[in-house]
Amino acid sequence: MDPFLLKKITRDTKSQLEEFALYLSENKNERRSYVSVVKTINVFRDLICTAEWVTGRELIKIVKCYCKYLPLSQSNETDVSNVVRRILKIIREESVGPEATNSADGISAFFKTDIKPCNLGRSDLQDNILNSIVELLAELDTSKSNIVNMALEHIHSNERILTYGHSNTIRDFLLYGRKARDFEVIVCESGPSLKGHKMAAELSEGGIKTTVIADSAAFAIIHAVNKVIIGTHTIMADGALRATNGVHQVAMAAKFFSVPVIVCAPLYKLSPTHLCSYDPDAFNKVIGPEKMLNFSNANLHSKVLISNPDFDYVPSDLIELFITNTGGHAPSYLYRIISELYHPEDYDLDNMCVEDVEDEMAT
Amino acid sequence: MIGPSHLHNHSEAVVSTQSTGNFIKHTKVQVAKISPDLTESVAKEELQQSCDNFFRENIYLAGKSITEKAVERVVDGDTILIYKKSQLILHILLEAKARNKNFRVMVVDSRPDLSGVQSCERLTAAGIPCSYVYINSCTYVMKKVTKVMLAADALLANGYVLGPVGTALIGLISSTYNKPVIVCCETYKFSERVQTDSILYNELADPDSMLKTLNEEDTPVSNWRDCPNTRLVNLVYDTTPPALVSIVITEIAELPCTSAPVVLRRGAVKM
């Protein structure tokens, strides 16, 4: 851990921070993003309360130092990174003070890179920040129900909806729609993990007529489907998706037959990063091939290069609509939401602001 | 005396894919042509001879001719994408390797039958470097591919290619990434049927085979027969629109998909 950070925190906090970093590096594939997001907020809330700081700028430096310690550069951690960016935005807003945020020139205030020293002492500033964090938690709490309640606006009776793999948000979305409408769902099984089977079991328990098909049959049946409703792991800054492997070709098939593709995702999945490369290190994650080909077939494993990427890049022109907790948005509108949610200086969490770099160079 | 109507009852029991359909038509014509004053054993021998001829000309020699044409299209440094297992495509690749061409193969496979594994085995046995992915990852690997070679089960009169389910997806992804799609198809597979979608005329395989996992575990829908709301659908074929296919290689010529009715009119299937 950075020596600067260690100077500012107590021993209890240090062990808590280490525990959280360990939590992030374990169980990546099974972790639910909502649970990790809430955990993140609690950990950072404790950090804000117990660390030594006087001004907002110092606090931001502490938070960013801790972020360098966390394994946030892995492609799985975008939900955690996004919540940290939200917290940093809260700190910046509270530090600048109410007059700047309430001014008519509010938009330009978002692009100011310096943080004016504010008249509030630490305790007042801390109270304001913690109140805003409580509001953030409330927003996250209601994010899923906000999305789910829009189901009746997007599903009508006797429709056939195609979905891919497993998503808790989509499952609840469709089950809510079932309360008032009668429709069918076709689920792609999403090999090799076969998460689609779990989705089909849950949907049919909820009373929805479900059909399970193999991923290869997506093109064959998509012309008979009214809409495609999918969830995603991350929404990129231009409206593209980092979704489960196999979603891109379903979206391409939908475009071929002009079937609308609707993505339901809460805004903490919206990340201000763009795709720079398709490589596993930068965007994708390649997991073990044991679900594709048994290791007992060792002869083949040793001679054949087997790839099992976990994610898929879906370009934004294939997507019709995003349903988020703040309502429905076209992919072209997301840039605006990003400018409201996050501060430009926090897009790259490793980035230190200019004054801090000068300070470091001076010492 | 056995006539064409007897054959009809038996042919109903045979799986009625178009390729088998053409052969049955051919045999019925042969049966009708047999002169009534031949003895039964001689007639049977003649029929057997005509079946062997059909096999030899339309399947065996046609396969060799297609291989000759297709091997010309494999160049050094190629990465060729193939889908599942096809005798004809494997034959083409093994022949290309025998002619010392330097290329890689990307084998795309899909559940539930996973026949691509056998393709991998045959190719690695011949020393061809292979990669293996499921069809979900097709977009992930498509950038590195230089050409796509697919086999067809039938070529319909409106130019649609009937192939194992998943062929259409591969055709779509390949044409989006501008990779040439080469379909290899013998002329006995050409059909007079027309079809614009994959559902109107298809086959359903055993739905329980979708429940098979590699480690013999149960999936959450293993008890699907007890749930009134759950259905498993295991399609066998799908149709690829002609816009997604670059070229069809047959034993008589290399054609675009839309030339299928021309071949049918020429009576390519020798009766």
Side-chain angles (χ1 to χ4, degrees), chain B residues 180-194:
Chain B
V181 177
I182 303 168
V183 172
C184 300
C185 183
E186 298 94 331
T187 52
Y188 80 91
K189 289 179 177 170
F190 280 47
S191 161
E192 275 156 16
R193 217 172 66 224
V194 290

Side-chain angles (χ1 to χ4, degrees), chain B residues 1 29-39 43-44 46-47:
Chain B
M1 187 65 184
V29 166
Q30 296 301 320
V31 167
K33 272 193 197 164
I34 293 178
S35 74
D37 36 276
L38 287 179
T39 66
K44 277 189 182 167
E46 261 195 37
L47 267 182

Side-chain angles (χ1 to χ4, degrees), chain A residues 28-58:
Chain A
K28 287 209 181 91
N29 292 333
E30 305 308 321
R31 226 177 53 220
R32 284 193 53 187
S33 62
Y34 176 70
V35 168
S36 15
V37 154
V38 169
K39 247 196 162 95
T40 311
I41 295 181
N42 288 331
V43 166
F44 277 86
R45 189 163 43 175
D46 288 336
L47 178 63
I48 292 170
C49 292
T50 57
E52 260 179 60
W53 54 274
V54 178
T55 63
R57 212 172 90 192
E58 268 181 46

Side-chain angles (χ1 to χ4, degrees), chain A residues 164 189 191 194 197 204 207 210-212 215-216 219 223 245 249 252 280 291-294 305-307 309 312, chain B residues 111 130-132 134-137 139-140 166 168-169 172-173 176-177 197 213-214 219 221 229-233:
Chain A
Y164 191 92
E189 62 179 11
L194 297 185
H197 287 204
S204 53
T210 320
T211 308
V212 180
D215 310 320
S216 42
F219 191 94
H223 70 92
N245 196 25
Q249 57 201 36
M252 281 165 71
K291 289 219 166 120
M292 291 172 62
L293 188 66
N294 258 329
L305 178 66
I306 305 179
S307 297
D312 219 353
Chain B
R111 290 190 77 245
C130 274
S131 305
Y132 176 80
Y134 272 22
I135 194 166
N136 326 57
S137 320
T139 47
Y140 179 72
L169 260 183
L172 177 66
I173 300 167
T176 309
Y177 284 85
D197 63 70
T213 53
L214 283 180
T219 75
V221 286
N229 285 329
T230 318
R231 238 183 2 152
L232 297 184
V233 166

Side-chain angles (χ1 to χ4, degrees), chain A residues 72-90:
Chain A
L72 289 182
S73 57
Q74 312 264 350
S75 28
N76 226 31
E77 314 304 340
T78 48
D79 41 5
V80 171
S81 314
N82 293 338
V83 163
V84 173
R85 291 183 182 108
R86 295 288 298 268
I87 294 175
L88 284 168
K89 180 84 192 289
I90 287 172

